[in-house]
């Protein structure tokens, strides 16, 4: 939660390529040294460093993509660049399990470190992007939240309508689905269908936005529609869960996967559109940091409520309330705001 704020600001100051290079190089060293650690304290320290460094990967990638991809193809670019994070959690454990079974843990660490070394080498060939004004460290987190109304509305709506409800319910959702009569295999199939639906629809969502909405005013209206759709989908899904009907839950989860996929590229593109040239990294870092912090607070709140109420179903009303408040904040704030005067008028943001 704290690391992402640092990496976001460093993208504005150092350039996103340099940040990505630093992340890949440090990840290579920590994983490589982990292979030779013979004490739990050393292994813990290396993993702590790795976790801290790795938090900046997605931020540097998003900022770099935003400056390499033309404005009219930004949503498509974001949809494509974030396909691996959807695919690799499925493929990675399978490959890791096979390597451990046949070659052992030591060779797995060596292979992983070599992959990071390859990533480091490839990073050298990317142009370094540094926003104008970033060298001076212009702007603070406080001024960003205070001066950019649309960003403020978006930040609050995401935290309240998505992160908080899912954090409250997330740890207990599988248990709740078992309580309402879904079998373990059905739950597994439902979750898989959600991921597959999102994967299939992710690229079409970005391409649809870029092809249909080229004018800036129309594009911003479409982006706001996608954000509203995403927030509304989260609320409807929670309400359907409360109905305790396995079939409706199955349909809701599958449908939410489609909407998640469709809105991924537009949502990432929207984050760039509403931020100024020299605060893109800082803004994205703040979004991720606030999301991580809200996740921690939501899980603590969920466990406290469950301890008091002794019923998972009692967690849903408070989750619905948070979701409704977040949706209202965005509809009354973000949808009616003009993009801040700080925001970039085009996507030519960088000095290379």
């Amino acid at each position: 939660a704290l690391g992402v704020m640092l990496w976001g600001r460093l993208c504005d100051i150092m350039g996103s390529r340099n940040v990505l290079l630093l992340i890949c190089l440090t990840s290579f060293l920590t994983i490589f040294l982990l292979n030779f650690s013979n004490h739990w304290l050393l292994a813990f320290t290396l993993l702590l460093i790795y976790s801290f460094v790795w938090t900046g990967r997605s931020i540097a990638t998003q900022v770099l993509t935003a400056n390499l991809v033309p404005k009219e193809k930004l949503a498509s670019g974001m949809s494509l660049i974030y396909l691996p994070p959807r695919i690799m959690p499925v493929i990675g454990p399978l490959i890791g399990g096979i390597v451990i079974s046949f070659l052992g843990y030591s060779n797995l660490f060596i292979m992983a470190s070599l992959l990071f070394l390859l990533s480091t080498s490839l990073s050298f060939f990317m142009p370094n992007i540094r926003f104008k004004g970033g060298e001076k460290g212009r702007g603070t987190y406080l001024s960003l939240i205070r001066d950019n109304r649309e960003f403020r509305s978006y930040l609050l709506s995401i935290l309240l309508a998505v992160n908080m409800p899912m954090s409250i319910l997330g740890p207990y959702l599988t248990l709740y689905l078992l309580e309402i009569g879904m079998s373990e295999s059905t739950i597994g199939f439902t979750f898989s269908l959600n991921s597959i639906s999102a994967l299939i629809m992710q690229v079409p969502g970005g391409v649809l936005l870029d092809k249909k909405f080229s004018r800036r005013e129309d594009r911003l209206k479409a982006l706001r529609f996608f954000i509203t759709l995403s927030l509304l989908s989260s609320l409807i899904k929670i309400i359907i869960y409360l109905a305790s009907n396995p079939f409706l839950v199955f349909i809701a989860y599958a449908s939410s996967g489609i909407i998640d996929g469709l809105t991924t590229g537009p949502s990432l593109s929207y984050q760039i559109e509403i931020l100024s040239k020299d605060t893109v990294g800082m803004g994205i870092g703040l979004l991720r940091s606030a999301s991580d912090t809200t996740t921690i607070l939501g899980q603590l709140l969920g466990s406290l409520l469950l301890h008091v109420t002794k019923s998972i179903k009692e967690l849903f009303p408070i989750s619905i309330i948070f979701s409704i408040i977040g949706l209202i904040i965005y509809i009354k704030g973000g949808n009616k705001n003009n993009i801040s005067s700080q925001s970039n008028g085009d996507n030519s943001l960088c000095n290379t």
Side-chain angles (χ1 to χ4, degrees):
L2 296 176
V4 288
M5 294 182 68
L6 169 66
W7 293 115
R9 195 56 177 139
L10 284 178
C11 285
D12 295 330
I13 298 173
M14 294 174 53
S16 50
R17 193 283 306 267
N18 285 346
V19 171
L20 192 61
L21 188 63
L22 176 62
I23 289 169
C24 291
L25 181 60
T26 308
S27 299
F28 158 70
L29 291 174
T30 52
I31 296 299
F32 182 76
L33 292 174
L34 193 62
N35 187 46
F36 301 98
S37 62
N38 54 10
H39 192 276
W40 71 268
L41 185 58
L42 176 59
F44 174 79
T45 303
L46 290 171
L47 287 173
L48 190 63
I49 295 172
Y50 171 77
S51 299
F52 177 78
V53 170
W54 195 237
T55 56
R57 173 191 56 84
S58 60
I59 297 174
T61 301
Q62 186 176 352
V63 175
L64 186 60
T65 303
N67 290 273
L68 295 177
V69 178
K71 175 187 65 176
E72 63 274 10
K73 297 181 180 179
L74 184 57
S76 302
M78 290 296 181
S79 298
L80 285 170
I81 206 69
Y82 276 85
L83 274 180
R86 288 199 184 274
I87 299 173
M88 290 306 149
V90 178
I91 301 175
L94 177 62
I95 297 175
I98 293 173
V99 172
I100 291 172
S101 298
F102 288 95
L103 301 177
Y105 283 97
S106 179
N107 288 312
L108 177 66
F109 287 130
I110 292 175
M111 288 181 60
S113 62
L114 290 176
L115 287 174
F116 278 122
L117 185 60
L118 175 63
S119 298
T120 304
S121 303
L122 293 174
S123 298
F124 278 109
F125 297 98
M126 299 179 186
N128 189 40
I129 307 300
R130 184 167 56 209
F131 293 101
K132 297 175 183 178
E135 303 94 325
K136 301 176 183 178
R138 192 172 64 189
T140 63
Y141 290 104
L142 181 60
S143 64
L144 173 62
I145 296 173
R146 183 189 62 229
D147 300 335
N148 192 327
R149 292 179 59 198
E150 180 134 4
F151 176 79
R152 183 171 66 244
S153 298
Y154 175 69
L155 173 64
L156 289 173
S157 64
I158 290 295
L159 297 182
L160 294 175
V162 180
N163 292 112
M164 182 61 77
M166 289 298 103
S167 301
I168 292 173
L169 297 172
Y172 316 107
L173 191 55
T174 300
L175 294 175
Y176 175 75
L177 296 180
L178 289 171
E179 285 184 1
I180 66 174
M182 295 182 71
S183 65
E184 289 86 349
S185 58
T186 304
I187 294 172
F189 178 72
T190 302
F191 289 170
S192 298
L193 184 61
N194 176 274
S195 299
I196 294 171
S197 300
L199 180 63
I200 293 173
M201 299 307 298
Q202 183 162 307
V203 174
V207 173
L208 174 66
L209 178 73
D210 290 335
K211 284 189 174 294
K212 295 294 183 181
F213 304 97
S214 57
R215 291 180 63 249
R216 179 167 173 79
E217 294 78 9
D218 296 337
R219 184 180 180 86
L220 289 173
K221 289 179 181 178
L223 286 170
R224 289 166 179 151
F225 169 78
F226 275 105
I227 298 299
T228 305
L229 178 63
S230 178
L231 298 175
L232 189 60
S233 170
S234 178
L235 172 60
I236 293 174
K237 184 168 65 174
I238 298 173
I239 294 174
I240 291 177
Y241 283 158
L242 194 56
S244 303
N245 186 307
F247 178 74
L248 290 179
V249 169
F250 176 81
I251 297 299
Y253 219 83
S255 302
S256 69
I258 295 174
I259 295 176
D260 287 346
L262 283 174
T263 57
T264 294
S267 295
L268 295 169
S269 176
Y270 177 76
Q271 294 170 12
I272 302 298
E273 294 276 2
I274 64 176
L275 289 165
S276 64
K277 297 176 181 179
D278 61 334
T279 61
V280 171
M282 181 171 64
I284 295 173
L286 180 58
L287 276 169
R288 303 291 171 81
S289 177
S291 296
D292 292 344
T293 304
T294 304
T295 297
I296 296 171
L297 295 176
Q299 290 174 349
L300 290 174
L301 178 59
S303 63
L304 178 62
L305 290 173
L306 185 61
H307 177 74
V308 173
T309 62
K310 309 298 183 183
S311 172
I312 298 176
K313 197 167 186 177
E314 297 299 324
L315 301 180
F316 284 86
I318 186 66
S319 299
I320 291 174
I321 291 172
F322 275 119
S323 190
I324 291 174
I325 293 173
L327 181 61
I328 292 174
I329 286 174
Y330 187 72
I331 291 175
K332 295 183 72 66
N335 269 312
K336 293 186 178 180
N337 283 333
N338 293 320
I339 290 292
S340 168
S341 59
Q342 298 182 40
S343 183
N344 32 287
D346 55 44
N347 211 42
S348 301
L349 305 177
C350 57
N351 291 330
T352 304

